[in-house]
Amino acid sequence: MTELIETDTWVEIHTIILPAGERASQVPKDTQKVPLEMRAKGFLVEPAALGDEVEIVTPAGRRLRGILSEVNPAYTHQFGVPTPELSTIGREVRAILRQRGQLK
C-alpha cells in the first residue's frame, strides 16, 4: 500500500512545460533537444502519494499542478531542510492582515 502524504505538507512537483522538439526556434539546437521543465515547491492541497498528479499552493498563493516528486524538499542553496513550524508563517500573517483590512 502506498503511503499518502497529508494535506498542507510542503512538497515539490515536476511538470513538463514543453516537450523536446516543441521549443521556440530561436532556442539553441542542443536546448531544443530537451524538454522545458518546471519544478515548484508549495503546500499540498489534497492527500496524495509520490508520483500522483497533484495541486499545490505556493507561498505566493499560486495554484500549480504537477507530479508529486518530493516531500519536505530541502533548498539546495544551503539553507538546509525546511522547518515545518516556520513554513506556514507567511500564509498566517497574510490571513491576519486580511482580517484587519490591511491587505486585500
Side-chain angles (χ1 to χ4, degrees):
M1 182 170 164
T2 305
E3 182 181 341
L4 289 182
I5 294 104
E6 296 179 19
T7 300
D8 283 330
T9 299
W10 183 249
V11 297
E12 182 175 86
I13 61 170
H14 174 257
T15 303
I16 302 294
I17 304 295
L18 285 173
E22 292 186 21
R23 312 247 338 230
S25 60
Q26 65 268 32
V27 172
K29 296 291 182 203
D30 59 339
T31 304
Q32 289 180 18
K33 295 177 185 177
V34 297
L36 176 61
E37 302 179 50
M38 174 190 73
R39 293 189 183 275
K41 295 177 179 77
F43 299 97
L44 193 58
V45 172
E46 293 182 359
L50 285 172
D52 288 351
E53 183 173 342
V54 299
E55 182 176 21
I56 64 169
V57 177
T58 69
R62 294 181 60 211
R63 289 185 168 266
L64 301 172
R65 292 194 67 78
I67 303 300
L68 181 55
S69 59
E70 193 172 346
V71 178
N72 287 321
Y75 288 99
T76 57
H77 50 296
Q78 303 306 316
F79 284 83
V81 177
T83 305
E85 294 81 5
L86 298 177
S87 63
T88 60
I89 287 177
R91 191 173 13 174
E92 293 167 6
V93 169
R94 282 190 287 278
I96 291 167
L97 292 174
R98 275 191 204 92
Q99 287 176 345
R100 293 180 180 174
Q102 296 173 314
L103 185 68
K104 292 181 180 183

